[in-house]
Amino acid sequence: MSYPSPSFEDKVCPPERLAERLAALPRPLVFTNGCFDILHRGHVTYLAQARALGASLVLGLNTDASVRRQGKGDDRPINNELNRAAVLAALESVSLVTWFDADTPAELIEQVRPDVLVKGGDWTVDKIVGSSETLARGGQVHSIPFLFDTSTTKTLQRIRAAEGKA
């Protein structure tokens, strides 16, 4: 017996198909980006709050190479980009997942041209990449405060400590 692919897989969009997929999304369109390596409550809460700011949420995912350049650790990301994209696409709040390999999402943000640009509370609005361009187009930029003291780095530290590798 064969089983169909889950419908959330359709929300994973290679960058070269992004233009056609964006045209089909309802507006206002919200954009955020990040690594989202080991998904936790802070991530899913943040993504749900971001989605509530518009009708669609496009997530720009750092590629594996982009994550490694951020200096998060030699073994990061733990999950590869296609696995991270699929898990994120399975979330109800996420409309579309694409990826970028640059050190910042600036080019991707200009391609998406979101109505609302969002990052987590560790970013002030003036430091959010794409903020000035989004505001100049008449869009909004939000820095959403963290509600939960969770992070992938802290989770990995606890795992490593439990394994005696910290």
Side-chain angles (χ1 to χ4, degrees):
M1 173 176 223
S2 71
Y3 298 95
S5 292
S7 61
F8 68 78
E9 294 279 357
D10 295 337
K11 295 195 293 185
V12 177
C13 177
E16 61 272 12
R17 291 199 49 227
L18 190 56
E20 68 185 80
R21 298 292 300 276
L22 287 173
L25 291 177
R27 295 277 182 160
L29 191 141
V30 179
F31 177 88
T32 193
N33 65 279
C35 302
F36 300 97
D37 191 5
I38 297 176
L39 210 56
H40 54 69
R41 186 177 186 182
H43 287 140
V44 298
T45 300
Y46 162 75
L47 292 170
Q49 290 175 309
R51 171 60 180 270
L53 296 171
S56 302
L57 175 62
V58 174
L59 192 151
L61 190 65
N62 291 76
T63 62
D64 295 347
S66 177
V67 172
R68 284 191 288 276
R69 289 192 303 273
Q70 290 184 1
K72 291 180 178 270
D74 294 341
D75 61 348
R76 299 284 300 277
I78 300 296
N79 294 297
N80 72 45
E81 61 204 40
L82 293 178
N83 287 342
R84 290 183 286 128
V87 169
L88 289 160
L91 297 175
E92 180 182 7
S93 58
V94 175
S95 306
L96 200 64
V97 179
T98 192
W99 50 91
F100 64 98
D101 194 47
D103 290 339
T104 76
E107 286 183 33
L108 180 58
I109 292 167
E110 279 308 294
Q111 183 181 0
V112 172
R113 300 179 64 83
D115 302 297
V116 183
L117 179 61
V118 180
K119 283 295 283 178
D122 53 339
W123 290 85
T124 57
V125 169
D126 62 308
K127 300 287 186 209
I128 296 173
V129 172
S131 177
S132 58
E133 295 82 357
T134 301
L135 292 170
R137 283 195 301 273
Q140 301 173 21
V141 180
H142 296 270
S143 175
I144 297 178
F146 295 130
L147 292 182
F148 301 98
D149 186 24
T150 56
S151 79
T152 299
T153 300
K154 287 181 184 178
T155 300
L156 288 171
Q157 288 170 344
R158 284 198 334 267
I159 292 168
R160 289 174 180 138
E163 292 176 342
K165 295 180 182 177

